[in-house]
Amino acid sequence: MDSPMCLVENADGELHVVPGAIEYLMGLNQQVVVVAVVGLYRTGKSYLMNKLAGKRQGFALGATIQSKTKGIWMWCVPHPENRDHTLVLLDTEGLGDVEKGDEKNDNWIFSLAVLLSSTLVYNSMGTIDNNALEKLHYVTELTEHIKVKSNQRDGEESSEYLRYFPSFVWTVRDFTLTLEVDGRPITANEYLENALKLRTGHSKKDQAYNLPRSCLRNYFSPRWCFVFERPASGDKMRRMEELTDADLEPAFVEQAKEFCDHVFNEAKTKTLKQGLKVTGRLLGNLAETYVSAIRSGQIPCLDNAVLALAQIENSSAIERARAHYQKGMADWVAYPTETQEELSEVHAVMEKEAVAIFINNSFKDEDQKYQLELMKVLQEEYEKICERNYKESQKACESKIQCIFAPLEEKIRDGSYMTPGGYKEYCNDLKLATSEYRSEGGRGVKAEEVLNEYLGRKASIGEAILSADQSLTEAEQRAEVEQVKREASERENRAMEEQLVVQERLRADQQRTYEENVNQLMERMERDSRNAIAEHDRVLQARLKEQNDLLRQGFDDRAHQMQREIDTLKGAKAQEEEKKPSFMSTALDTVGTAAALFLPGILPKVGGMAVKWLSKWF
């Protein structure tokens, strides 16, 4: 993306997604690291975003008191450290713009930045004092604008938000203080944590003081802070877009570099529930889902968004897998294939890739409904390809027969065989033509069947030639009749064996289809389980750290109240670990039973598959 484009337009207090931006995201299949910057208007947010993009110009900078950015602007650039990721930068309009005068609108902009990002950068000027924290009142109202569950109760544990919210970076511009406490040097991160310490009182004033601090501590982890000196003099500040690093204060340049390095190395891939990695396409769907909810007067719900996205993405994943399979088979299969095995081998490769595409692009397919649909779709595609292979084989064989047996057909028409000794000549010509036909390549999987049908149609002609051959005695004619029967039986057996080989190969294909799907399903379920446990663990460790900080700061009552939440998290983690074998077993039974309806070749083996696969994983 050469320059930023508007993702969410804010016109007359109404939010709209911009179709062109959504279209761009829909074509972006890489996983994304999403960094959103929020803050009061005219605090230099856009400059930081341009630095992350590696450009001096891009997001609009302004030298006046008017806010430049309206809505949410997006810039997708290659991630400088993770080549298989895209860095998505979201620059939001300044909060508290006096010209706008719509605080509710500000809340929605702030909430969207939280919902869409994996790292949230809050930019402010001066210092992190009580005034600065009061201006960040938007964080205290997040639970009024974002729900985790559709049936969420008031006072839902903050860990539910901590599970889904982005990491938090506070950038402090024009910082002039010395980083020290009681004469001891501290880091910028310690400066932030010191500013977030709570008061021990219970007065309304104390509660108001603690509220934004508690919200930041409870909703966002990990947290970082970066401080920046003033970049240049007032005259230079008015033309920041024109300045190079050489024109700026060296300390500011170094601080900006540290900030960018941190984002490039620490900002994580955007994830949803259970560690689902978000692609550009998913991000576009998320933006549409959240803005649609806001426009309809609803509160965006994370669980509902995931369910809605699952339906869209899982259906899309099936179509993408089907398209990949179709293209691969079209590219690699030359009709007719010499054997069914040759076709089967290409099918196996393309099916494996198609299943992987589905597995990597689908999620929350808890009853395997969509994977079963994929299995059915690919089986139908394979059956159509096999049918085409049969027809192409039939055409090829008929064409070769027409060419190879043409001299014999000509002699039949001109009566050459209707003479004494003609039957022996006929048999020799038939044998030579049959041998030549069988030596030909490119006949495909119906070679013997088509030959048998052709020679079967010639049986009455052979009988007529035999009857007309006066050079043979009655005994010799009877012997020839028996010979014809033996040869016909042999051809029939060869044709049947040919088809039995095809059918056995198709049954093996069905079994392999089932096993490939189960194998990749088990791998994904194992990966999802690990992600879920890691997610539980991350939240649990964050809450344990917060509890320990509260104890150190003398908030014994708060720490004790938090224990119930910690115990719930421990229980959820243990439950996730315990349910894995039974959950996987249920999934295997579901897939095996349903798949047998359209993969009859696996029916005799379904019962023992669960034991086989579970023993592999546990």
Side-chain angles (χ1 to χ4, degrees):
M1 187 182 286
D2 295 331
S3 60
M5 63 192 309
C6 187
L7 173 63
V8 179
E9 185 179 31
N10 185 12
D12 301 322
E14 289 286 331
L15 300 179
H16 310 264
V17 292
V18 178
I22 297 300
E23 183 180 354
Y24 181 89
L25 287 173
M26 290 303 175
L28 182 57
N29 292 317
Q30 279 192 330
Q31 294 175 6
V32 292
V33 175
V34 187
V35 180
V37 62
V38 295
L40 299 181
Y41 78 108
R42 305 308 310 121
T43 55
K45 302 185 308 301
S46 300
Y47 177 82
L48 288 180
M49 291 288 104
N50 288 343
K51 290 294 288 184
L52 289 174
K55 303 292 177 64
R56 290 206 306 272
Q57 297 181 348
F59 290 115
L61 306 184
T64 70
I65 61 171
Q66 289 183 304
S67 174
K68 275 287 186 181
T69 305
K70 298 296 182 184
I72 299 178
W73 283 69
M74 170 183 76
W75 201 351
C76 300
V77 297
H79 197 290
E81 298 296 332
N82 299 322
R83 297 302 178 187
D84 58 345
H85 281 60
T86 294
L87 179 62
V88 179
L89 304 172
L90 301 179
D91 188 15
T92 64
E93 69 177 72
L95 306 174
D97 186 350
V98 292
E99 292 185 0
K100 184 172 58 179
D102 188 349
E103 190 169 295
K104 184 178 180 181
N105 197 263
D106 281 349
N107 273 313
W108 285 127
I109 292 290
F110 186 86
S111 298
L112 280 172
V114 170
L115 287 166
L116 295 175
S117 65
S118 53
T119 293
L120 181 72
V121 179
Y122 180 71
N123 192 65
S124 70
M125 302 286 284
T127 60
I128 303 178
D129 54 16
N130 194 51
N131 182 51
L133 282 157
E134 285 179 350
K135 289 178 179 176
L136 189 50
H137 62 87
Y138 307 99
V139 77
T140 69
E141 300 164 22
L142 278 174
T143 56
E144 299 173 21
H145 295 85
I146 299 173
K147 282 186 177 181
V148 174
K149 304 172 185 174
S150 57
N151 60 349
Q152 186 169 312
R153 302 181 302 274
D154 291 338
E156 192 82 57
E157 279 89 341
S158 56
S159 60
E160 288 300 316
Y161 290 93
L162 186 64
R163 193 183 304 276
Y164 299 108
F165 279 8
S167 60
F168 183 85
V169 178
W170 194 321
T171 53
V172 187
R173 308 292 293 277
D174 294 0
F175 185 77
T176 58
L177 301 180
T178 301
L179 285 175
E180 63 178 32
V181 172
D182 300 328
R184 178 181 64 85
I186 60 171
T187 64
N189 289 345
E190 290 172 326
Y191 172 64
L192 172 61
E193 294 307 311
N194 190 62
L196 297 182
K197 284 184 178 178
L198 307 178
R199 284 182 178 172
T200 55
H202 299 285
S203 67
K204 286 187 177 180
K205 187 175 181 180
D206 291 328
Q207 291 176 9
Y209 178 91
N210 288 339
L211 181 58
R213 292 166 172 82
S214 294
C215 289
L216 279 172
R217 292 164 66 128
N218 289 331
Y219 298 155
F220 298 98
S221 178
R223 299 181 293 271
W224 290 280
C225 180
F226 290 87
V227 297
F228 301 83
E229 295 184 14
R230 189 170 177 81
S233 64
D235 288 340
K236 288 184 177 180
M237 290 290 290
R238 282 188 283 273
R239 49 190 184 87
M240 284 288 287
E241 288 183 338
E242 303 171 13
L243 303 182
T244 66
D245 285 351
D247 300 315
L248 304 175
E249 292 294 330
F252 175 83
V253 173
E254 181 60 30
Q255 290 159 347
K257 181 180 183 302
E258 289 176 2
F259 166 74
C260 291
D261 288 345
H262 168 84
V263 170
F264 296 152
N265 291 287
E266 297 296 335
K268 305 299 183 186
T269 306
K270 173 68 178 172
T271 58
L272 296 177
K273 194 171 185 178
Q274 294 184 338
L276 172 71
K277 307 290 187 183
V278 173
T279 61
R281 190 181 64 259
L282 261 177
L283 183 66
N285 281 325
L286 275 175
E288 285 192 303
T289 300
Y290 291 141
V291 172
S292 176
I294 293 169
R295 286 176 53 78
S296 63
Q298 300 174 356
I299 297 175
C301 173
L302 291 165
D303 270 2
N304 286 353
V306 170
L307 286 172
L309 286 181
Q311 294 179 359
I312 296 170
E313 287 299 306
N314 292 348
S315 296
S316 173
I318 290 174
E319 291 310 310
R320 292 178 67 201
R322 183 213 295 262
H324 179 83
Y325 177 84
Q326 288 174 329
K327 184 178 185 306
M329 294 301 282
D331 289 345
W332 289 100
V333 176
Y335 296 100
T337 60
E338 201 64 48
T339 63
Q340 185 65 33
E341 184 177 8
E342 182 183 327
L343 180 61
S344 173
E345 287 173 354
V346 180
H347 163 68
V349 172
M350 300 318 304
E351 181 181 50
K352 183 174 184 176
E353 292 179 4
V355 173
I357 286 171
F358 171 81
I359 290 291
N360 292 330
N361 290 278
S362 63
F363 62 96
K364 211 169 178 61
D365 186 17
E366 293 175 349
D367 56 0
Q368 285 71 57
K369 169 187 170 184
Y370 291 95
Q371 186 162 5
L372 285 166
E373 178 64 21
L374 173 73
M375 292 170 70
K376 185 176 181 182
V377 163
L378 293 185
Q379 180 62 20
E380 289 172 351
E381 291 291 336
Y382 185 41
E383 287 173 359
K384 285 191 286 188
I385 287 170
C386 288
E387 183 63 28
R388 179 181 172 186
N389 199 40
Y390 300 152
K391 290 179 179 178
E392 294 292 338
S393 175
Q394 176 114 14
K395 285 166 57 178
C397 291
E398 288 173 350
S399 176
K400 290 180 184 295
I401 285 174
Q402 185 178 12
C403 179
I404 293 169
F405 286 81
L408 182 140
E409 294 283 358
E410 180 64 27
K411 285 185 176 183
I412 291 173
R413 283 194 296 273
D414 65 19
S416 297
Y417 298 124
M418 306 301 283
T419 59
Y423 183 73
K424 184 175 182 181
E425 182 184 355
Y426 170 75
C427 289
N428 286 336
D429 288 348
L430 194 65
K431 185 175 181 180
L432 287 171
T434 300
S435 179
E436 182 182 349
Y437 169 81
R438 283 176 171 159
S439 68
E440 282 278 311
R443 294 172 299 147
V445 295
K446 300 191 75 172
E448 290 298 327
E449 181 181 340
V450 175
L451 176 65
N452 186 50
E453 290 173 354
Y454 172 77
L455 294 180
R457 292 193 297 272
K458 290 287 170 282
S460 59
I461 294 174
E463 290 173 3
I465 294 171
L466 178 60
S467 298
D469 193 340
Q470 300 298 320
S471 67
L472 298 174
T473 65
E474 287 187 12
E476 287 174 330
Q477 286 191 348
R478 285 195 299 271
E480 291 296 338
V481 168
E482 293 302 317
Q483 178 64 23
V484 167
K485 289 181 180 178
R486 285 194 295 272
E487 289 175 354
S489 177
E490 181 185 334
R491 289 197 307 272
E492 189 72 33
N493 288 336
R494 291 181 72 150
M496 288 178 61
E497 287 174 8
E498 179 182 65
Q499 292 310 303
L500 284 172
V501 168
V502 170
Q503 294 305 314
E504 184 56 37
R505 185 71 253 176
L506 291 175
R507 281 192 290 271
D509 288 340
Q510 290 183 5
Q511 185 64 30
R512 184 177 57 199
T513 289
Y514 174 70
E515 294 185 8
E516 183 61 47
N517 274 269
V518 166
N519 188 35
Q520 293 203 39
L521 173 62
M522 290 296 99
E523 289 177 357
R524 182 178 71 176
M525 293 180 76
E526 175 69 18
R527 185 170 63 249
D528 288 349
S529 181
R530 287 197 305 269
N531 288 339
I533 292 170
E535 183 182 280
H536 284 303
D537 197 53
R538 180 183 67 81
V539 176
L540 178 59
Q541 293 306 314
R543 302 315 285 152
L544 286 169
K545 180 182 181 300
E546 179 64 14
Q547 184 187 49
N548 187 55
D549 289 345
L550 289 171
L551 287 170
R552 284 193 298 102
Q553 295 168 23
F555 294 93
D556 292 1
D557 288 346
R558 284 176 179 262
H560 180 72
Q561 292 171 7
M562 189 177 287
Q563 188 59 46
R564 181 178 66 86
E565 188 180 347
I566 289 172
D567 290 341
T568 301
L569 287 168
K570 288 180 177 178
K573 180 183 176 183
Q575 187 178 13
E576 182 69 37
E577 292 171 334
E578 290 171 2
K579 79 174 186 179
K580 186 163 60 171
S582 61
F583 185 56
M584 288 184 171
S585 178
T586 301
L588 282 172
D589 288 342
T590 300
V591 172
T593 303
L597 297 175
F598 53 86
L599 297 177
I602 71 168
L603 190 57
K605 303 180 181 180
V606 166
M609 288 302 294
V611 175
K612 172 185 173 183
W613 287 104
L614 288 174
S615 64
K616 175 181 177 180
W617 290 105
F618 300 101

